[in-house]
Amino acid sequence: MLLTLTTTHSPATDLGYLLHKNPARLQSFDLSVGKATVFYPEADVDRCTAALLLDIDPVGLVRSRKGPAGEGFSLGQYVNDRPYAASSFLAVAIAQVYSSALAGTSRDRPELAKTAIPLTAKISVMPCRGGEILLRRLFEPLGYAVNATHHALDEQFPEWGESPYFTVELSQTITLRDLLNHLYVLIPVLDNDKHYWIGEDEIQKLLKHGDPWLATHPEKEQIVFRYLKNFKYLANDALARLIEANPDEAQESEDEQAGEEARVEAKISLNEHRLNLVISVLRESGAKRVLDLGCSHGNLLRRLLDEHDFEQIIGLDVSHRALEIAGERLHLDRLPERQRRRIQLLHGSLIYRDQRLTGFDAAAVVEVIEHLDEARLMAFERVLFEFAKPTTVIVTTPNVEYNVRFETLPPGQFRHKDHRFEWTRRQFQEWATKVAERFGYQVRFLSVGPVDAEVGAATQMGVFSVESLPVAGDEASKVHATNFLNKAESGSDSTIFS
Ligand code: SAH
């Protein structure tokens, strides 16, 4: 893989100061992705070119399970375009070899690092999955002159047609920092093959390197979805955060996103699977008054509002900011009066008893319990199952067994930094069964998303329903009554958003 950067800014050899690489020396680096070499094929006062050559070892990557992996042996793991086609490996090399330049710092030329200078980046083999049209739609809005040469699949056999590979030149008067950040994000987006990375912190990286240009880029959705390839639930989260950065576009881009989702994938995302299943269980339960506990930005609330069977809908979250975003995304201030009366957002915590949560038919607690310290989980159990006591409770949580199917999630790591635990199916079922027994519920278990024969589905769901009311005077009802009387009402000092 070869990336060259050329400037004609005078003195052009200052490029060496910006990249922190001396034009007179050839330098090599052992990186996590392979071996990188930086050298200067030309270094004159008028014109200077720095070349970054990256050698990866596809066999080594398969062995270390970092590369395009899969089950067992497959020829594609060993014979593929990864050694020469620009991809996420090159992005990683840019971040590692040109880290200061990517951050926009230069010890010896700090002013120049902030100055737009004439620059051309040339990528010798760029797989443009999406063709030249996509290439242009990604780079031209950022101000680049794009020069692309398409390569035939095999020059000896022109009838085989074109390959997905291009030699690409991108030119503009721009800061080196901006150019490198654009390349860092957009090279993997164009490649759109399996990415070398994908951990939850990829969102952070995307937002960092996409700041500030990505929030207003016309291809924002496509960039986010392809960058976070195969992790659509991450992509939705990233988009939500970009939308925060650029609120005026919220509605517009949500519409686009919906279209994009329908077009791009027949295979729906995990998040969609979850919401669909929650809605159908709620419908089936006949609930009219529904709680969404830990509602975050209101994805489920929006779906609930669309269904007229749900007459009263409450979203509760401990995060003030999340509720503000939910309010904006649901356009609470613009809803017609009848719709507006159906929904309310409450600020509160699930580990404190809260009078406002009593008297509901159903509660959905979607991907929330794993955010609670295990020690607090017991408080949550009582708050929900003993005091709020909705007739139906739907709890979803990750199935940790499935994590091995996320190829690049390092073993032992949770899906999200804020997760305090992730349970196996057995751990979840044991917990849920105990809770159900303790508080007089029955529980059944459902899988969310496609079920893998060995490790189950990515998300697990427990559906609790109150057992039919005990006959007055029996033991269970006495225990409940005593529990109730023993508890002093703690109330809640939470604010109400309305
Ligand atoms: N249910 C949403 C969000 C899941 S993320 C969805 O499926 O998309 C977890 C949410 O739980 C976050 O919004 C977080 O703020 C909220 N949360 C975490 N601890 C909480 C607590 N103690 N009380 C209420 N909400 C909490």
Side-chain angles (χ1 to χ4, degrees), residues 13-30:
T13 42
D14 273 0
L15 185 61
Y17 291 112
L18 294 181
L19 292 171
H20 288 235
K21 303 283 174 285
N22 184 341
R25 290 212 339 245
L26 178 143
Q27 294 177 62
S28 292
F29 307 86
D30 282 320

Side-chain angles (χ1 to χ4, degrees), residues 292 294-296 316-319 348-351 366-368 371-372:
D292 179 7
C295 62
S296 191
L316 174 130
D317 205 284
V318 75
S319 156
S349 171
L350 287 169
I351 55 176
V366 179
E367 304 298 282
V368 174
H371 292 266
L372 305 176

Side-chain angles (χ1 to χ4, degrees), residues 243 250-251 254 292 295-306 313-316 322-336 339-340 342-346 497:
I243 287 163
Q251 183 56 49
E254 269 162 33
D292 179 7
C295 62
S296 191
H297 296 176
N299 286 344
L300 177 61
L301 294 173
R302 187 169 20 182
R303 299 280 304 267
L304 292 168
L305 262 183
D306 289 342
I313 304 161
I314 299 265
L316 174 130
L323 290 170
E324 274 174 5
I325 294 167
E328 282 162 23
R329 296 178 72 186
L330 294 165
H331 304 299
L332 287 193
D333 53 340
R334 279 179 269 152
L335 282 186
Q339 285 286 75
R340 185 64 195 87
R342 288 173 61 213
I343 183 159
Q344 201 181 13
L345 300 183
L346 302 179
F497 286 69

